[in-house]
Amino acid sequence: MTGRTPEPTESPRPDEPLGEPRWPMAAAVVTAMVLTVFLPDALRLAPRWVLPTLEGLLLLALIAGDPGRIDRRTAALRSMSIALVGVLALSAVWSTVQLVDDIVHAGKETSSATSLLQTGGTVWTCTVLAFSLLYFELDSGGPASRAHHMPSAPALAFPQQLDPRLSSADWRPHYIDYLYLALTNATAFSPTDVMPLAPWAKITMGVQSLVSLLILGLVVARAINVLA
């Protein structure tokens, strides 16, 4: 009596990419586009519809090239992602500079406390969104690269990476994690639970803290002066 010959086992398949849904990132871009439209003319980098149109076209191209979950790695998609984030960041920085100049020189946008608080809040929100997308796109090679592989030494260390007991082995940071990072960094003016490890991450978080402190400090001081 002979035993059965064991059937050959199949070699394990490589892990599927763990891409995240694109809609949270897309929602952030659309929100920034809408806020840009409602900014006063003096605080916008270009005429009202120029930047939102450019940002919208780049976003549509990204969705068409990699719909659903973000996991496709190509030079073209990477270039468009960097271009989109660059336009958003440039627009936010320009609006911040113009707002500060308006406050220092007592411009018409700062003559009313209500108008000042609305404008200042809009510019501040645009900077938070721009920096959140900047972290999202630059950390660990971007979302598409993170979907395939997480580096052993990330540029931004989240609690789940500092203590593996807090998450599963295949955990990846998603856009909401970077939005939370940008929001807390803009309100605490320092790292909270996410530690910057790479030089670019430290510089970027430092710049965001200074920008946020500048906006909030000057807006509140000017609003108090107007009300007084």
Side-chain angles (χ1 to χ4, degrees):
M1 181 176 179
T2 58
R4 295 182 59 188
T5 303
E7 296 180 1
T9 57
E10 295 182 1
S11 59
R13 296 176 60 187
D15 293 336
E16 294 292 332
L18 301 174
E20 62 178 290
R22 186 175 289 280
W23 71 262
M25 169 266 186
V29 173
V30 172
T31 301
M33 290 163 53
V34 172
L35 291 175
T36 301
V37 170
F38 287 101
L39 278 174
D41 291 342
L43 270 61
R44 278 188 275 101
L45 178 61
R48 187 175 301 274
W49 296 105
V50 172
L51 290 183
T53 300
L54 176 59
E55 293 158 0
L57 291 174
L58 288 170
L59 179 60
L60 289 175
L62 286 173
I63 294 174
D66 188 15
R69 293 185 174 273
I70 308 174
D71 57 14
R72 187 180 178 193
R73 295 181 292 184
T74 68
L77 289 173
R78 180 66 172 160
S79 298
M80 286 189 289
S81 297
I82 294 294
L84 174 58
V85 174
V87 172
L88 289 166
L90 180 61
S91 175
V93 170
W94 176 270
S95 297
T96 299
V97 171
Q98 296 305 311
L99 176 63
V100 171
D101 181 73
D102 209 47
I103 292 175
V104 170
H105 294 93
K108 64 177 182 178
E109 301 300 337
T110 65
S111 58
S112 164
T114 301
S115 175
L116 173 61
L117 291 174
Q118 289 177 344
T119 302
T122 300
V123 172
W124 183 83
T125 303
C126 286
T127 63
V128 170
L129 292 173
F131 276 95
S132 71
L133 291 164
L134 194 62
Y135 300 134
F136 172 77
E137 191 57 47
L138 296 183
D139 184 34
S140 301
S145 292
R146 291 193 299 270
H148 292 266
H149 171 71
M150 283 296 293
S152 57
L156 294 165
F158 290 84
Q160 294 89 334
Q161 295 166 306
L162 296 173
D163 188 350
R165 295 174 299 175
L166 299 177
S167 65
S168 60
D170 60 355
W171 183 85
R172 302 283 194 276
H174 288 181
Y175 174 70
I176 187 63
D177 299 295
Y178 295 101
L179 178 60
Y180 178 77
L181 163 62
L183 180 61
T184 54
N185 193 50
T187 52
F189 312 122
S190 65
T192 53
D193 64 336
V194 182
M195 295 296 105
L197 303 181
W200 75 260
K202 295 178 180 181
I203 293 171
T204 305
M205 289 184 68
V207 169
Q208 188 198 2
S209 295
L210 291 175
V211 168
S212 181
L213 180 61
L214 188 65
I215 294 174
L216 295 179
L218 289 179
V219 166
V220 171
R222 178 61 178 166
I224 293 174
N225 185 51
V226 171
L227 290 173

